[in-house]
Amino acid sequence: MPELEPQARFIAHTSSFTEIDLKSTREYLIKRLKNEVARVHRHEAQSFHPSVYVETSGNDREDVTEIFPVDRLSGIVLMDWRVTDLNLSEIPTAELETAARQACARMIRCVSLKPPKDASRVSFMETHVGCAAILIVQHLTRPEGEKPLLDCHSYQRCVSVLRSAVKLALYRPVQESNVPMMPYDGCEVLYGRAGLLYTLLFLRSNVRAETYSDAPLDMKFLLSFDTLRKVVDDIIERGTMGAEATRPPGVTPSAWAPLMWSWHHKLYLGAAHGVGKLMSLVLSGRAECGLF
């Protein structure tokens, strides 16, 4: 197998399947995965600042323990959980589970989670939405007899962050005649509404209940089919608007994409900002709602 540059963002492969040695390929991929997980944790540790000052009310400053940008910890915990689920003997799961618990504790110690203020910034990644979802799942799925991760105030704060994100994402402002709007912008996965859709699917897949009837009352809004479907339908409606708005002159609707979204006023395919991953999540959302 060819060696990759340390900073390479893709894994090269041969175009001839007959040349693939599955055993060595598996070993190579696991080794690469193990190294990348270690690199993420090493970067997190190197970014530790034992004393970061943040502005509070008035001219006072409060000394807090801000270990890492709190909105990025959710991605690290999710990575640890996903790799643990692979149950690979080559990667010690106990260490990853411990790292995930420690990261959750850091989220709680860091500056209070804040609800999003921009409907195009409501995703699992890059906002406090992911942190709130991670903490709720860790709190509600803890082993019986284990001390609660969150106190009542912190738990309600996490729920409030997610409820606010959903309501903000679905809000439709009144359009002023002289202010252009791009309703199909802000839906992509890394930052936007599709990232919020991922959050709802993440909650439903981890807060186990047959019909969610035994879920905490304040969680039922987030776990309901109605909320999930509204977010899915909203993204599809924006995609329909986007397809109509971006269809070139002279091109018939049947010859153009039925759905189209933009990111920073640009149209392109892609796994993070583009149509590719966004469509994948929309299909997952519709399947979860039983629409297939």
Side-chain angles (χ1 to χ4, degrees):
M1 297 293 291
E3 291 296 325
L4 293 181
E5 294 295 327
Q7 299 302 318
R9 300 185 66 180
F10 64 92
I11 297 178
H13 63 84
T14 175
S15 60
S16 174
F17 289 101
T18 58
E19 299 176 8
I20 294 178
D21 180 344
L22 293 180
K23 181 179 179 181
S24 61
T25 299
R26 181 183 184 278
E27 292 174 351
Y28 170 77
L29 292 175
I30 291 176
K31 180 180 179 180
R32 182 63 187 266
L33 175 62
K34 184 177 181 179
N35 289 341
E36 290 302 309
V37 169
R39 188 161 71 92
V40 169
H41 283 291
R42 186 165 59 251
H43 176 65
E44 175 197 1
Q46 290 171 349
S47 300
F48 169 67
H49 299 287
S51 179
V52 175
Y53 289 93
V54 296
E55 294 289 349
T56 57
S57 58
N59 297 320
D60 297 333
R61 286 173 176 266
E62 180 183 355
D63 189 8
V64 299
T65 304
E66 181 69 73
I67 295 180
F68 198 71
V70 67
D71 50 2
R72 299 182 189 177
L73 283 173
S74 57
I76 295 176
V77 174
L78 186 63
M79 175 193 72
D80 289 338
W81 286 356
R82 292 290 179 262
V83 175
T84 298
D85 289 342
L86 295 175
N87 197 26
L88 299 171
S89 59
E90 297 87 347
I91 302 179
T93 58
E95 294 180 8
L96 295 179
E97 291 171 349
T98 299
R101 285 195 297 270
Q102 291 174 344
C104 287
R106 292 169 193 165
M107 291 182 201
I108 299 171
R109 293 201 304 268
C110 289
V111 179
S112 298
L113 300 182
K114 299 178 177 62
K117 298 180 179 180
D118 184 343
S120 64
R121 292 291 188 274
V122 291
S123 68
F124 186 93
M125 302 292 291
E126 300 293 335
T127 75
H128 287 182
V129 167
C131 294
I134 287 284
L135 290 175
I136 287 173
V137 167
Q138 187 80 333
H139 178 76
L140 294 179
T141 61
R142 67 188 184 277
E144 186 176 353
E146 184 175 296
K147 181 181 178 182
L149 178 70
L150 303 172
D151 59 29
C152 182
H153 173 76
S154 299
Y155 171 72
Q156 292 296 337
R157 182 64 175 173
C158 289
V159 173
S160 175
V161 167
L162 297 184
R163 290 176 65 94
S164 297
V166 172
K167 292 179 179 179
L168 181 62
L170 297 177
Y171 174 68
R172 299 289 183 89
V174 177
Q175 182 175 1
E176 299 178 14
S177 59
N178 61 337
V179 179
M181 292 183 64
M182 290 190 68
Y184 51 96
D185 200 26
C187 287
E188 47 86 48
V189 177
L190 186 58
Y191 298 104
R193 293 175 179 85
L196 176 63
L197 173 56
Y198 172 83
T199 303
L200 297 178
L201 292 170
F202 170 79
L203 288 173
R204 290 182 61 87
S205 66
N206 285 279
V207 180
R208 303 285 181 184
E210 287 300 319
T211 62
Y212 300 97
S213 59
D214 58 344
L217 182 61
D218 43 18
M219 282 290 295
K220 288 185 178 180
F221 170 79
L222 298 172
L223 295 171
S224 71
F225 280 117
D226 183 59
T227 298
L228 183 64
R229 185 164 184 171
K230 283 181 180 178
V231 173
V232 171
D233 289 347
D234 181 81
I235 293 173
I236 292 175
E237 184 179 349
R238 292 173 189 275
T240 303
M241 294 178 185
E244 178 64 27
T246 59
R247 180 161 51 87
V251 176
T252 63
S254 61
W256 186 244
L259 297 171
M260 184 58 67
W261 301 269
S262 69
W263 181 68
H264 281 201
H265 312 300
K266 297 180 180 179
L267 311 178
Y268 60 100
L269 303 176
H273 304 298
V275 176
K277 182 61 176 179
L278 206 158
M279 277 301 305
S280 173
L281 283 172
V282 167
L283 291 172
S284 296
R286 285 178 59 84
E288 183 73 10
C289 291
L291 298 179
F292 290 127

